[in-house]
Amino acid sequence: MSEHVTADPAPYYRAHVFVCTNEREPGHPRGCCREKGGDDLRDYMKKKATGLGLGKAVRINNAGCLDRCELGPVLVVYPEGVWYAVTSKADIDEVLQTHLVEGKRVERLMLLPTDKLPADIVARRVAAE
């Protein structure tokens, strides 16, 4: 019997972005991305991506809990698996242009595996300015 090796199919999208829109009960100690504007940022990102001509190459979806609630709103870009904490439309614009158009990273918005609290990323953002 001979071995048959099949290659993975070509990806349907060049990039797939998941934006957390999870909602927790009011007052939850971890907070949630929805109460921090995740829905609005996702909607803005989708429209802006279409305007940049990324609509057929990049898919932007909402996601349930990505388990980084304290740092939200958060999004993750695949296939790279790069995580970002975004709080404004300007942050979204920068991720779209720098990461998805130019193929670079927005280091000041990136989340590291060791980031657990907002204070963990604030110092890095201040240092980058």
Side-chain angles (χ1 to χ4, degrees):
M1 183 185 277
S2 67
E3 279 190 47
H4 182 63
V5 178
T6 3
D8 289 340
Y12 194 74
Y13 299 106
R14 178 175 56 80
H16 209 143
V17 181
F18 293 93
V19 182
C20 183
T21 59
N22 188 57
E23 182 175 24
R24 293 181 184 274
E25 64 275 1
H28 192 283
R30 293 187 71 196
C32 69
C33 291
R34 177 165 281 160
E35 76 181 10
K36 297 173 187 173
D39 288 321
D40 292 338
L41 292 172
R42 181 221 40 230
D43 293 347
Y44 176 79
M45 189 175 207
K46 287 176 88 161
K47 288 178 187 166
K48 188 76 175 197
T50 299
L52 289 170
L54 297 173
K56 299 214 184 275
V58 174
R59 177 75 178 175
I60 298 166
N61 283 101
N62 61 301
C65 185
L66 294 172
D67 201 28
R68 301 197 81 185
C69 313
E70 295 85 356
L71 303 173
V74 298
L75 63 84
V76 59
V77 180
Y78 288 106
E80 302 91 348
V82 175
W83 290 70
Y84 292 106
V86 293
T87 59
S88 67
K89 290 178 179 178
D91 289 348
I92 294 292
D93 290 343
E94 195 170 357
V95 170
L96 283 167
Q97 183 60 43
T98 303
H99 190 123
L100 296 169
V101 171
E102 298 171 15
K104 301 174 188 171
R105 304 296 178 263
V106 184
E107 290 187 29
R108 70 177 191 83
L109 298 176
M110 286 175 65
L111 292 177
L112 302 177
T114 55
D115 293 334
K116 304 294 181 208
L117 298 170
D120 297 333
I121 59 176
V122 169
R124 216 171 40 253
R125 287 184 180 181
V126 169
E129 293 177 351

